[in-house]
Amino acid sequence: MTTRRMLMAGTAAVLATPALVGRAAAQTRTIRVGNWLPAHHLIPRGIIEPWARAIEAESNGSLKFEIMPSALGPPPQTFDLLLDGAFDVGYGVSGHNPGRFTMTQVMDLPFMSPDPWAGAAASWLTYQRYGGRYNEHRGAHVAGLFVHSVPALHWRGEPVTKLEDMQGRRVRVGGNVTGRIITALGGTPVQLPPTEAQQAMARGVADGITFPIESIAFFNITPVIRSTTLIPGGLYTDTFWIAFNERTWQGLTDAQRAAVNKHSGIAIALQSGWAWTMGDRVGQQGLEARNVAFNTLAEAEVNKAKERLKVLETEWLAEAQKRNLPGQEILDYARTMARLYTAERRVNVR
């Protein structure tokens, strides 16, 4: 009798095993993440990967993120590839699609983002409050927004300590908005991809480049830099998005969506603030090791720059009005959040 019961129990266990395995497999969902940057770049390594691993742990393994090793198309196509379902999650630069994410790009305006912590927090909190009315990300569920760190102007020749020093200097830029900023400040924009910036500087095609200090190190531009001009308050920034394909998002369980939400939004802003701050530290060490001269634009010069660039804000407000959005209210809210979340503050002092 004992032997018979043992055999029956063993048979039942064997018969149950495929069902158990099937249920376990069904409980784990792989999320493919579109990626267009090298795996060691700050964004995939320092922002996307930690975010994904945190969600995996939070979901108790029911979600598994697979970061793709190479791009399926050029960066400006990323959002459309996401909508088409080429991958489940994507990230991109809002400015890669001019006119498409204009309201979301409020932090791209001059002097809106004093540091990456402030800019990332303000971009997300502003979007969280008003983004539903923008209607700029139809077909996607936005998980978070962030910005890069404060850019500087880096020169291959004589330093720039005032705006008139920029007259006639050719400056490599990444996009049309940055090009307009450089033109307003007296320079001549030269639009090139970052991979060509080092050669352009070495050959004199460009006299300078506007870039976060982190990027100077990553793209190996440090050897051709002789001086750097720091601009307090953040001359400009780029707003990045992280989003799910809407169909993928709706296909997740309530518990899985809760796990994603817990580590998204302001958590992504926090993660990106750390990543850009540490990246800038590496970049600055490289510049200092080559005895690059650092010059900070004086307050009077910064005020001149703000006045010359006011037109970009005016245009953004006009666009908001065309869309029946409270542009000034959005702008004021974004500025308030940036001020409250800035990393630069004095504490424990009288």
Side-chain angles (χ1 to χ4, degrees), residues 97-334:
N97 304 105
R100 192 170 191 173
F101 306 111
T102 303
M103 295 295 104
T104 304
Q105 290 177 259
V106 62
M107 299 309 295
D108 289 23
L109 294 172
F111 299 101
M112 287 293 291
S113 180
D115 63 62
W117 308 84
S123 65
W124 171 250
L125 294 169
T126 304
Y127 184 84
Q128 190 176 43
R129 184 161 178 162
Y130 299 101
R133 298 161 68 179
Y134 300 165
N135 206 24
E136 292 183 332
H137 295 84
R138 291 182 301 278
H141 172 82
V142 178
L145 300 174
F146 62 94
V147 304
H148 60 62
S149 56
V150 176
L153 291 166
H154 310 274
W155 307 101
R156 67 189 292 269
E158 293 301 311
V160 166
T161 59
K162 52 188 181 299
L163 294 186
E164 71 177 59
D165 294 339
M166 285 184 60
Q167 292 297 322
R169 295 213 195 187
R170 295 159 299 181
V171 182
R172 179 270 167 189
V173 300
N176 62 323
V177 174
T178 315
R180 289 189 63 195
I181 289 173
I182 293 301
T183 299
L185 298 183
T188 301
V190 178
Q191 190 164 339
L192 292 169
T195 50
E196 297 179 21
Q198 203 263 11
Q199 287 289 340
M201 294 277 285
R203 295 174 180 173
V205 174
D207 303 304
I209 182 171
T210 176
F211 242 169
I213 289 178
E214 171 275 336
S215 300
I216 291 295
F218 183 82
F219 290 104
N220 194 34
I221 306 170
T222 305
V224 296
I225 302 296
R226 290 183 56 189
S227 67
T228 290
T229 305
L230 305 175
I231 304 175
L235 182 60
Y236 72 91
T237 191
D238 288 314
T239 300
F240 296 77
W241 52 267
I242 301 176
F244 280 77
N245 172 283
E246 185 64 42
R247 293 184 298 278
T248 298
W249 178 253
Q250 294 302 329
L252 302 182
T253 67
D254 289 346
Q256 289 170 337
R257 286 196 291 266
V260 173
N261 287 334
K262 184 171 182 178
H263 296 281
S264 298
I266 201 69
I268 289 175
L270 176 69
Q271 191 73 255
S272 69
W274 275 116
W276 287 109
T277 298
M278 298 307 292
D280 277 356
R281 185 176 299 178
V282 172
Q284 180 147 346
Q285 288 171 346
L287 291 171
E288 289 174 346
R290 299 186 69 87
N291 297 314
V292 168
F294 285 84
N295 300 283
T296 301
L297 207 62
E299 184 178 358
E301 295 297 310
V302 171
N303 289 335
K304 282 185 196 175
K306 288 181 178 179
E307 190 60 35
R308 293 185 190 180
L309 297 172
K310 191 75 174 176
V311 62
L312 296 178
E313 182 178 308
T314 302
E315 291 173 357
W316 187 90
L317 288 169
E319 181 62 28
Q321 186 175 24
K322 282 199 295 187
R323 302 186 189 195
N324 295 315
L325 292 169
Q328 192 61 56
E329 180 184 324
I330 295 170
L331 199 59
D332 291 344
Y333 181 81

